Amino acid sequence: MKCVLFYHAFTSCWNNGNAHFLRGYARELHALGHEVVVFEPIDGWSRLNAIRESGSQALQDIGQLFPGICIRRYDASLDLDEALDGADLVVVHEWNSPDVIAQIGDKRAHGAPFTLLFHDTHHRAVTAPDELAQFDLDAFDGVLAFGEVLRQIYMKLGWADRAYTWHEAADVALYHPLPNVEPTEDLVWIGNWGDGERGAELGEFLVEPVAELKLRASVYGVRYSDDAIRTIQAAGIRHSGWLPAHWAPVAFASARATVHVPRGPYVRSLPGIPTIRVFEALACGIPLVSAPWSDDEGMFPDGAYLKAANGTEMKRALRAVLDDRELPSAMVETGLRTVRERHTCRHRAQQLVDIVEAIRGSDRSSQPLHIAGASA
């Protein structure tokens, strides 16, 4: 197939946790023999912020890390007829502008022969359904939802057999253990402080345990307010700013443990959806202790990571990981095996191909999907 993928950002991962998976499945589609073309806006805010903060070097690395993938930047003069010419599959990520989403849908509605899928990796369907309403999805052939609970929401909107659970996964070509890197810290955390969705949780499950256990720790990420930086520095934690996603394996290898602190909306409204950090940590072979989230879909077996219901349990779990030699080794073995057997970007790329074949083989494969209320 010729696969045309529309992202808000492919070359930049600044405040873009989706970049890991979006890049990874594109890589694997290419490895499976498909042509892959990625479109990203030249003025995308993730890309502009990355350049503003760190220059263009980290962005230039991406072309070398993903050979064979054609990356095209566009502006308002984009010719969609040319961009979509010869496409067999078009995937539009939900970070795209509503105008771009509508224009691509219009091409499909007027007979373009490609299979058109909308990729949703956000909690807005639950927390801000009015934002979802701005997307005109009537002409799309299906929705790729990054968790079963989100797929169920689309089913209630009328998508029925055209909504698919398509979880994120690890790009194991980049995310894997680095045994030659010597750990120099007790703990590392990678994540953006953001807009208050997990401020209290970060205090309970990250800042306070590090301070009380007197751990050597670093955090990486963006959108840290001055107050947030003062808080973590007061706990003895080093704030190291933006870490390009493809540098994360070195950061993980440099520490003896990491923690998972999901955002509140996912915990409360979208159980069963792990953040990309779980896949990254397990793929890189670093012991992980997680704040509460519900693995409703059985993504990970017992023993892949430790669970902490509160700050006290987090401190106890971290102490066990750091003091016990056998426990972290068993966790790493289970986590690595789980990722490699079930949760790689190759698994997801093959699943995507299977989804496209199922849509094409259905009775309505030659017609765009029109559903009353699907974009309401």
Side-chain angles (χ1 to χ4, degrees), residues 4-341:
V4 180
L5 315 177
F6 278 81
Y7 300 160
H8 165 76
F10 183 85
T11 52
S12 172
C13 62
W14 193 97
N15 199 49
N16 177 13
N18 300 127
H20 171 166
F21 178 63
L22 300 182
R23 294 167 175 172
Y25 90 79
R27 176 208 300 283
E28 295 301 337
L29 282 175
H30 179 262
L32 288 170
H34 305 289
E35 179 184 357
V36 180
V37 182
V38 175
F39 283 87
E40 64 174 7
I42 196 168
D43 59 350
W45 61 265
S46 176
R47 180 172 178 271
L48 294 182
N49 275 294
I51 294 172
R52 186 178 301 115
E53 181 163 330
S54 299
S56 60
Q57 181 56 50
L59 277 63
Q60 293 172 350
D61 291 346
I62 301 305
Q64 301 171 12
L65 291 172
F66 297 88
I69 295 176
C70 179
I71 305 170
R72 298 180 181 173
R73 298 186 185 93
Y74 67 88
D75 56 22
S77 65
L78 174 67
D79 184 336
L80 269 180
D81 287 328
E82 179 180 349
L84 299 172
D85 183 46
D88 300 293
L89 168 65
V90 178
V91 179
V92 182
H93 187 247
E94 44 88 9
W95 266 26
N96 285 280
S97 73
D99 285 345
V100 168
I101 293 171
Q103 290 172 30
I104 296 174
D106 186 64
K107 297 296 181 184
R108 178 73 180 102
H110 285 86
F114 50 75
T115 301
L116 178 58
L117 301 175
F118 182 71
H119 185 198
D120 194 341
T121 59
H122 200 271
H123 57 69
R124 65 166 58 87
V126 174
T127 59
D130 55 321
E131 292 185 17
L132 185 64
Q134 67 184 320
F135 300 139
D136 183 1
L137 305 181
D138 284 351
F140 279 64
D141 293 288
V143 168
L144 303 169
F146 77 144
E148 175 62 20
V149 63
L150 186 58
R151 185 183 77 89
Q152 293 291 336
I153 292 170
Y154 275 97
M155 289 180 66
K156 292 177 181 178
L157 291 173
W159 286 85
D161 60 344
R162 293 300 182 94
Y164 302 87
T165 299
W166 198 49
H167 279 287
E168 294 182 311
D171 179 7
V172 295
L174 289 180
Y175 294 81
H176 52 76
L178 299 174
N180 294 329
V181 176
E182 189 70 25
T184 58
E185 297 187 296
D186 297 312
L187 184 141
V188 64
W189 187 73
I190 303 173
N192 303 329
W193 195 271
D195 47 13
E197 289 183 336
R198 57 181 166 190
E201 292 90 343
L202 287 171
E204 180 179 5
F205 292 97
L206 174 64
V207 177
E208 293 174 11
V210 168
E212 293 191 28
L213 295 175
K214 296 181 172 55
L215 303 182
R216 294 168 297 170
S218 292
V219 301
Y220 296 88
V222 302
R223 299 176 67 197
Y224 281 69
S225 66
D226 291 341
D227 285 343
I229 292 175
R230 283 192 290 267
T231 296
I232 65 174
Q233 290 178 340
I237 302 172
R238 180 169 62 97
H239 177 241
S240 301
W242 176 48
L243 182 73
H246 56 288
W247 297 352
V250 174
F252 282 132
S254 299
R256 299 170 61 200
T258 188
V259 297
H260 172 228
V261 186
R263 297 177 184 272
Y266 292 105
V267 175
R268 295 186 295 270
S269 304
L270 293 175
I273 300 178
T275 73
I276 192 64
R277 303 303 177 195
V278 177
F279 296 111
E280 290 179 350
L282 299 188
C284 288
I286 183 172
L288 171 71
V289 184
S290 179
W293 75 282
S294 299
D295 186 8
D296 287 2
E297 296 183 55
M299 300 282 288
F300 307 102
D302 290 341
Y305 61 89
L306 298 184
K307 304 170 185 178
N310 51 50
T312 299
E313 290 190 7
M314 176 62 76
K315 286 178 281 188
R316 186 181 302 123
L318 286 174
R319 192 75 276 167
V321 167
L322 295 173
D323 291 347
D324 188 324
R325 298 181 63 179
E326 294 183 1
L327 174 62
S329 295
M331 293 168 62
V332 167
E333 180 181 356
T334 301
L336 281 171
R337 182 176 64 252
T338 301
V339 167
R340 291 169 177 172
E341 292 180 354

